[in-house]
Amino acid sequence: MNPIDAVVNYFNPVAGARRVMARARTATVMNYDAASRGRRSYGWKSPGTAADAAAFGARARLRNLSRDMIRNRPYAMRGRDVVVANVVGEGIMPSIVAEEAAKAQIEEILRAHLLTPAMDALGEYDLLELQQIVMSAVFSDGEVLLRRRMRNTRFNAGLPLPYQVELIEVDLLDTNVQSWGQNLVEEGIEYGPTGAIEAYHILSEHPGAVRNRKAPTTTRVHWSDIIHVRRFDRPGQLRGVPWLAPVMMTLGELSDYQEGQILKQKMAALMAAVIEYPDGVQRPAQAGAGLEELAPGAMVELPEGAKAQFTNPPVVDGYDEFMRRGLQAVAVGLGVTYESLAGDLKNVNFSSGRMGRNEMDRLIRMWQRSMMIGQLGVGLERWFRDGLRLIGLGHLAFSLHWTPPRRILIDPTKEVPAMIEEIEAGLNSRQSTQRELGRDPDRIRAERAEDQEKDAAANLAPTLPKFPQGASGTKTEEKENAEDRP
């Protein structure tokens, strides 16, 4: 009872009682059971940390645990491969949209620089391989850095553009730097007065290298020379965490259980014999000789007075169901289907497979848009435009489009007719459908025109489209088209 209630109760006990009862009912009704501190919620953690503070000081350990799991736990490695294969696949291809005169010139430079190892500081990766490594590092480490290295064309005459890209693990962030002027530096990243990233403090050598070539030094690199790729989950978040973090405990326990079951199966496959001697019987010098060579059909003679007792090996049961439930939890935590993670297609039909793929495809498209295109693609385009300006081609107007890899169809005989009907009904465009399948509309259009020219030059009859059963083009229309052919 607060002071106001006490005063009201003193002058009007009935009204005071009503106030106390109303307050009690409000406290009972207006609450969340999950927020209560009772037996059922005992041990639940609910820290109020900010987005980046939640993993502050723990990112290095999370990264090391994640990498070790990918090295030694088959399902962790499989989860990474599934995510990388679906997000990147054969590569997210760039395409130039511009006037014909400028388009040919820009495409030539783009292919010579981005689609060859010329773009890589080590001279090993082209754009498509770089995308795979970036997505793999984002999965295992939570984030990855790409650094622009400017080159002097007098010493690197073979480069189409005067810069290269260096892939950097976040281990190279110098965590010892705490400030730079008035700016705060946390775990090697410098933040300005508005909270935005202004620079990165990069070590010259990886702290985990086998041998350092020289004493490590730290370089302050402006944000414009860094592409920082990670997944955002909360407002204000600027750092990433390994994707295995929510399922590490489950993966570790599943792996321990699997190893225990394998050992149990080994024991079940063995047959051990224990030789018993009655009291008072003298044991021979080599008691039980020959039993170590016990095999199916073998005849082993026991010493006089000895009797063999065979052990009862343990029975392995419940393994499949337990592993299935555990891997389903891991798949949900990673955002992939159980079938793709476990390689188990035993209970899958077209409908269930399609429904599972639909949910996974939504996540894949979201990751492609937010990370591989929205962060990596936009950053590479910015550097590409800077490179064109440095060689005197900054006046060329163009836009850069990114086409994700083709989506593998579960049943083309059912899915392709549905796409055709969507296009003909005006629910989708042909270009959009082609991009959803991972194909470049401009390239398809150019190749079709080239095919028609070559067919005409060879005096070949034009090939008319055949509509699948169920699409708007029916067998009758196909027959009429065939009759009209020369």
Side-chain angles (χ1 to χ4, degrees):
M1 184 178 295
N2 57 39
I4 297 177
D5 291 337
V7 173
V8 172
N9 187 65
Y10 178 80
F11 291 101
N12 190 343
V14 176
R18 286 200 300 266
R19 290 174 61 90
V20 172
M21 292 177 62
R23 194 181 302 279
R25 285 196 298 269
T26 300
T28 302
V29 175
M30 299 178 63
N31 69 83
Y32 288 93
D33 292 339
S36 62
R37 292 180 173 86
R39 176 181 57 83
R40 295 178 62 188
S41 61
Y42 177 78
W44 290 8
K45 298 180 180 179
S46 55
T49 51
D52 288 331
F56 181 79
R59 284 190 176 86
R61 176 164 174 78
L62 286 174
R63 287 197 305 268
N64 295 335
L65 287 172
S66 176
R67 293 168 182 170
D68 183 74
M69 282 194 166
I70 292 173
R71 285 193 296 263
N72 298 299
R73 315 281 174 131
Y75 290 112
M77 183 184 68
R78 174 65 176 174
R80 180 203 62 183
D81 292 344
V82 168
V83 170
V84 174
N86 281 273
V87 174
V88 177
E90 301 94 345
I92 301 177
M93 289 294 296
S95 59
I96 301 295
V97 178
E99 296 181 356
E100 289 300 325
K103 180 178 180 180
Q105 189 176 8
I106 298 174
E107 277 188 346
E108 182 181 357
I109 298 175
L110 184 144
R111 293 185 179 279
H113 190 71
L114 294 184
L115 299 183
T116 67
M119 72 169 300
D120 180 39
L122 299 178
E124 298 293 336
Y125 315 129
D126 63 5
L127 174 63
L128 308 185
E129 292 174 304
L130 181 138
Q131 290 173 349
Q132 296 175 6
I133 299 172
V134 166
M135 193 63 230
S136 176
V138 170
F139 181 91
S140 63
D141 303 347
E143 52 191 344
V144 68
L145 305 176
L146 293 88
R147 181 179 180 182
R148 177 171 57 177
R149 292 285 194 173
M150 303 306 299
R151 303 303 187 198
N152 192 327
T153 53
R154 291 182 298 175
F155 304 104
N156 303 93
L159 291 180
L161 295 176
Y163 74 92
Q164 290 182 312
V165 178
E166 179 185 11
L167 274 173
I168 299 177
E169 289 187 318
V170 292
D171 304 60
L172 274 79
L173 291 174
D174 190 352
T175 58
N176 295 321
V177 180
Q178 302 297 321
S179 63
W180 184 271
Q182 297 297 322
N183 290 342
L184 176 67
V185 180
E186 291 183 355
E187 296 182 310
I189 299 181
E190 180 181 332
Y191 302 92
T194 63
I197 296 177
E198 287 198 3
Y200 295 80
H201 295 260
I202 308 295
L203 292 170
S204 58
E205 299 283 345
H206 196 292
V210 176
R211 181 179 62 184
N212 290 327
R213 292 172 292 180
K214 54 185 178 181
T217 57
T218 302
T219 303
R220 182 180 183 270
V221 182
H222 192 260
W223 70 267
S224 61
D225 286 325
I226 294 289
I227 298 175
H228 190 178
V229 184
R230 66 282 200 200
R231 187 177 72 183
F232 296 126
D233 297 312
R234 292 178 59 183
Q237 178 183 348
L238 295 175
R239 300 295 306 273
V241 293
W243 289 22
L244 289 177
V247 297
M248 277 185 182
M249 297 292 290
T250 304
L251 268 176
E253 291 168 350
L254 278 177
S255 181
D256 294 341
Y257 170 78
Q258 191 176 29
E259 292 296 327
Q261 288 287 31
I262 291 174
L263 179 60
K264 191 177 180 181
Q265 189 68 43
K266 287 182 178 179
M267 296 173 61
L270 296 175
M271 176 140 332
V274 180
I275 302 177
E276 295 182 356
Y277 290 91
D279 295 339
V281 175
Q282 184 177 4
R283 301 185 180 185
Q286 297 182 348
L291 281 177
E292 67 274 6
E293 300 178 0
L294 191 63
M299 302 294 293
V300 178
E301 184 177 352
L302 293 175
E304 183 179 357
K307 182 174 68 172
Q309 295 287 347
F310 293 95
T311 60
N312 185 20
V315 178
V316 177
D317 54 358
Y319 174 80
D320 288 342
E321 183 64 19
F322 184 85
M323 288 297 295
R324 173 183 287 271
R325 295 301 181 187
L327 290 177
Q328 285 175 345
V330 173
V332 169
L334 295 180
V336 300
T337 62
Y338 162 77
E339 291 76 18
S340 62
L341 177 67
D344 182 8
L345 304 176
K346 182 172 58 177
N347 299 321
V348 178
N349 53 34
F350 174 78
S351 298
S352 62
R354 181 67 185 273
M355 291 176 64
R357 275 288 303 274
N358 284 343
E359 293 297 326
M360 179 175 167
D361 285 346
R362 289 189 182 95
L363 293 175
I364 295 299
R365 287 194 294 269
M366 182 178 68
W367 298 332
Q368 289 171 342
R369 171 64 185 85
S370 62
M371 289 180 292
M372 303 309 296
I373 297 177
Q375 297 178 41
L376 178 62
V378 169
L380 290 177
E381 180 181 354
R382 172 165 51 87
W383 289 351
F384 183 73
R385 291 181 181 274
D386 291 344
L388 290 178
R389 281 192 289 269
L390 290 174
I391 63 174
L393 297 177
H395 63 281
L396 297 178
F398 69 95
S399 61
L400 193 61
H401 290 182
W402 298 89
T403 302
R406 67 186 183 93
R407 181 173 63 88
I408 299 177
L409 303 179
I410 298 177
D411 190 346
T413 61
K414 296 181 179 179
E415 296 181 76
V416 171
M419 295 177 184
I420 295 174
E421 290 184 355
E422 282 188 353
I423 295 173
E424 295 184 348
L427 300 178
N428 202 352
S429 67
R430 188 171 60 185
Q431 294 186 37
S432 176
T433 303
Q434 290 169 346
R435 291 191 183 278
E436 289 176 2
L437 294 174
R439 296 176 170 89
D440 186 356
D442 293 336
R443 183 176 179 181
I444 293 177
R445 190 178 298 108
E447 290 179 351
R448 290 183 63 184
E450 183 180 353
D451 289 341
Q452 291 178 1
E453 291 178 1
K454 291 183 178 181
D455 289 347
N459 294 323
L460 296 176
T463 303
L464 298 178
K466 294 182 179 181
F467 296 95
Q469 182 71 22
S472 60
T474 61
K475 291 184 176 180
T476 303
E477 292 173 344
E478 291 181 21
K479 183 178 179 180
E480 293 175 352
N481 291 334
E483 292 175 351
D484 293 337
R485 295 176 187 172

